[in-house]
Amino acid sequence: MNIFYTVNDKYVPQLAAGITSICENNKKADRICFFVASMGITEDNKNKLKEMTEAYGDSEHTRTVEIIEIVDLKSKIGFDFDTNGWNEIVLARLLVDKLLPEDVEKVLYLDGDTICVGPLDELWNMDMDGKAIGGSIEPTANRKRKEDLGLK
């Protein structure tokens, strides 16, 4: 199972909680690889994330973190953008196909503060019916935002 996040150093505590929740609730998964698109995560925090995650592994179950450092996101996006106050790392999810290794065929993108309360098997194995991408609106989104997105 491949999980993809986009965070900066300030969001590492939330990310660590999310990774822990996935490891705790998916103990039967043979392999979980966390890909983290980073803008400025310190070496100390990178090492802590790796150590914490690898501690959940054993001889039959691997748990790894790969940090993908992004130096100049604006040049990779190719157009001007306004993140409305959010850190620009949030846009790195738009580049997931360019950031991940070529052998990764499937990935779940999760926000850095998502807590997993159960196994992800059903989501991971969901039949996408030939679609390249699926999504879910954040449950805290207000009615106007849902309507603007065409969701009722």
Side-chain angles (χ1 to χ4, degrees):
M1 185 178 322
N2 301 304
I3 314 288
F4 183 76
Y5 295 102
T6 60
V7 298
N8 63 13
D9 198 56
K10 292 179 183 176
Y11 232 69
V12 168
Q14 295 88 332
L15 174 63
I19 288 174
T20 298
S21 72
I22 290 172
C23 290
E24 285 289 335
N25 288 290
N26 293 275
K27 292 182 179 179
K28 293 181 181 177
D30 293 337
R31 185 188 68 78
I32 304 175
C33 183
F34 300 96
F35 293 96
V36 180
S38 159
M39 286 184 74
I41 295 178
T42 65
E43 287 304 314
D44 186 47
N45 278 340
K46 288 176 184 179
N47 291 332
K48 286 177 182 176
L49 285 170
K50 289 178 181 181
E51 289 172 16
M52 177 199 76
T53 303
E54 290 170 3
Y56 278 98
D58 59 33
S59 61
E60 297 177 24
H61 306 90
T62 61
R63 307 293 183 256
T64 58
V65 172
E66 287 193 34
I67 308 292
I68 305 162
E69 192 63 39
I70 300 174
V71 178
D72 184 12
L73 184 64
K74 288 186 182 197
S75 70
K76 292 183 184 332
I77 295 282
F79 56 85
D80 284 335
F81 55 83
D82 178 4
T83 61
N84 200 23
W86 293 92
N87 186 291
E88 66 185 50
I89 189 62
V90 299
L91 295 179
R93 67 187 82 174
L94 300 175
L95 303 172
V96 65
D97 64 318
K98 293 171 179 55
L99 297 173
L100 294 179
E102 286 188 30
D103 63 338
V104 173
E105 295 182 18
K106 185 177 182 178
V107 66
L108 296 176
Y109 168 81
L110 296 176
D111 284 344
D113 59 354
T114 300
I115 298 295
C116 177
V117 297
L120 291 172
D121 301 45
E122 186 176 348
L123 181 59
W124 181 252
N125 295 314
M126 182 182 289
D127 181 2
M128 296 288 291
D129 194 31
K131 310 258 184 331
I133 190 170
S136 171
I137 194 162
E138 193 167 324
T140 58
N142 65 36
R143 177 181 216 110
K144 169 122 176 57
R145 180 180 243 180
K146 289 178 185 178
E147 289 172 1
D148 290 346
L149 292 170
L151 305 171
K152 296 190 178 190

